[in-house]
Amino acid sequence: MKLIISALLAATSLTVASAKGTRGNNLKHVDGSDDSSSNTVVYTDRCANPKRAVRNLLMCVGNNDAVCAAAAYDPGFQRFHNEVFTGQISITDPTFWEGAFTFFPRFEFDIKFARNAGKNMASVRYIETVTSTYGTNLGLPASSVSPFGQVVVQHEHALVTVNNNCNIIKWDQYGDNKEQTDVDNITSGIFCILDPTTCMPSVMP
């Protein structure tokens, strides 16, 4: 159970941005990039467009597409928040993402700035908005009382490294620590309600 909790905490903190829309349209891109161009040069020794790889990941997450999101990563992926390594997670396993989407069915992304920053790197500044489940998909009565139905906004800037196949290797983000722990506390609170043996004193109902 602790491993599952750690994975879900990482998943929900890992995601990257925010925008307003419905499922299938939860990515707002405002940096004026040419990601839709079909004239991108193809390289064999590098990823041709790292920022497009990041944008594609966010679209997968915004669409709650577990298979698509898992496929965006390299198996050796590492995540850092404010220069602190956040631990290994099974991010290339769709089951990991299915768990994250169960607890947080809505991810919205608003990219404020994105650019390629050298070979196999992208710099992305964004706002991420996540909404926790209202409980019905967990077999519980609908509720908007914490930890259910909670909306958390995270402001982040990430330096993203990809491999030559454009799979994400490293996500090195900077942002507010409380915005991260708010999501962690919601996740722990839901687990506490589902399984009281997981309860920590600070999140017991």
Side-chain angles (χ1 to χ4, degrees), residues 13 61 66 128 167:
S13 298
V61 175
E128 174 183 8
N167 299 114

Side-chain angles (χ1 to χ4, degrees), residues 17 24 26 28 38 55 72 87 113 119 133 145 171-172 199:
N26 287 351
K28 183 178 179 182
S38 61
R55 186 174 186 271
F113 170 85
K119 180 179 178 179
T133 176
V145 177
W171 194 280
D172 189 3
C199 292

Side-chain angles (χ1 to χ4, degrees), residues 27-165:
L27 177 66
K28 183 178 179 182
H29 205 216
V30 296
D31 67 329
S33 74
D34 58 354
D35 279 356
S36 61
S37 173
S38 61
N39 298 320
T40 302
V41 176
V42 177
Y43 298 96
T44 58
D45 65 337
R46 71 189 69 185
C47 173
N49 196 338
K51 74 175 179 181
R52 179 186 292 176
V54 175
R55 186 174 186 271
N56 288 344
L57 166 66
L58 301 186
M59 292 180 66
C60 295
V61 175
N63 291 334
N64 286 16
D65 189 333
V67 173
C68 179
Y73 290 91
D74 180 89
F77 171 77
Q78 292 185 321
R79 175 184 178 273
F80 294 81
H81 177 73
N82 292 340
E83 302 183 359
V84 177
F85 178 55
T86 58
Q88 296 290 350
I89 52 178
S90 302
I91 204 160
T92 57
D93 184 350
T95 304
F96 163 81
W97 286 101
E98 290 168 0
F101 297 145
T102 297
F103 277 30
F104 292 87
R106 187 172 181 82
F107 289 84
E108 301 173 281
F109 306 92
D110 188 355
I111 300 176
K112 297 300 185 182
F113 170 85
R115 69 178 179 89
N116 292 324
K119 180 179 178 179
N120 288 1
M121 292 191 69
S123 175
V124 186
R125 183 169 56 85
Y126 54 85
I127 301 172
E128 174 183 8
T129 302
V130 296
T131 304
S132 65
T133 176
Y134 287 91
T136 54
N137 64 337
L138 298 170
L140 301 171
S143 173
S144 57
V145 177
S146 184
F148 300 107
Q150 301 302 295
V151 178
V152 180
V153 179
Q154 299 175 318
H155 301 77
E156 296 168 354
H157 182 194
L159 301 176
V160 184
T161 304
V162 300
N163 61 22
N164 290 347
N165 295 320

